Amino acid sequence: MGEPFENSEAWKAARELTNLIYQSCRREPLAKDFGLRDQLQRAATSVMNNIAEGWESLPAAEKRQAYNIARRSCGEVRSMTYVLLDNRFVTSAEQQTLLTQCVHTGKLITGLIRSLNGRG
């Protein structure tokens, strides 16, 4: 059996992104914007869970599909950081931290997808 997904750098980065999002969502006024808060949390959790799902899948096509969903969810979180900034839910510095983590996580997920090339 291979390495567990918990050892994957992509999953670790997604976990950090999820934790950053949850920290932001606990603070007001974002804590009271239920729609945005819930969407952010779902998208961030989707990144983490789809990496795990892809990692645990055996067929390369299923892995690729799950990793692609994770990458799209990462882009969704990245886009929503602009909503957070524009509506003053986070500072510019906090948004930059979130953007940096999104980009880093996205690159690691892209690496997982590229590792599947030639595998079906």
Side-chain angles (χ1 to χ4, degrees):
M1 188 147 172
E3 286 286 315
F5 66 80
E6 292 93 343
N7 291 351
S8 161
E9 290 304 314
W11 185 83
K12 289 176 187 177
R15 182 180 179 190
E16 178 60 27
L17 176 61
T18 301
N19 286 330
L20 289 170
I21 290 298
Y22 270 77
Q23 286 171 16
S24 295
C25 289
R26 280 193 289 273
R27 295 192 327 250
E28 290 190 20
L30 183 55
K32 292 188 176 189
D33 188 325
F34 303 115
L36 179 59
R37 183 198 68 202
D38 291 349
Q39 185 64 26
L40 265 168
Q41 290 174 330
R42 280 193 307 273
T45 303
S46 174
V47 177
M48 200 171 136
N49 288 342
N50 276 289
I51 292 170
E53 185 177 330
W55 194 273
E56 295 292 328
S57 296
L58 293 177
E62 287 181 16
K63 286 180 177 292
R64 187 174 285 108
Q65 180 179 12
Y67 294 155
N68 276 315
I69 293 168
R71 182 146 168 71
R72 289 194 313 258
S73 294
C74 195
E76 182 180 1
V77 173
R78 193 171 87 225
S79 179
M80 284 191 287
T81 69
Y82 291 95
V83 176
L84 297 177
L85 179 66
D86 294 346
N87 290 278
R88 297 186 180 114
F89 290 124
V90 296
T91 66
S92 181
E94 290 168 330
Q95 190 230 12
Q96 191 57 52
T97 298
L98 291 169
L99 283 175
T100 300
Q101 191 64 33
C102 284
V103 170
H104 175 66
T105 304
K107 286 179 180 179
L108 291 170
I109 297 167
T110 297
L112 290 174
I113 294 167
R114 287 185 178 149
S115 74
L116 297 172
N117 288 344
R119 289 184 55 195

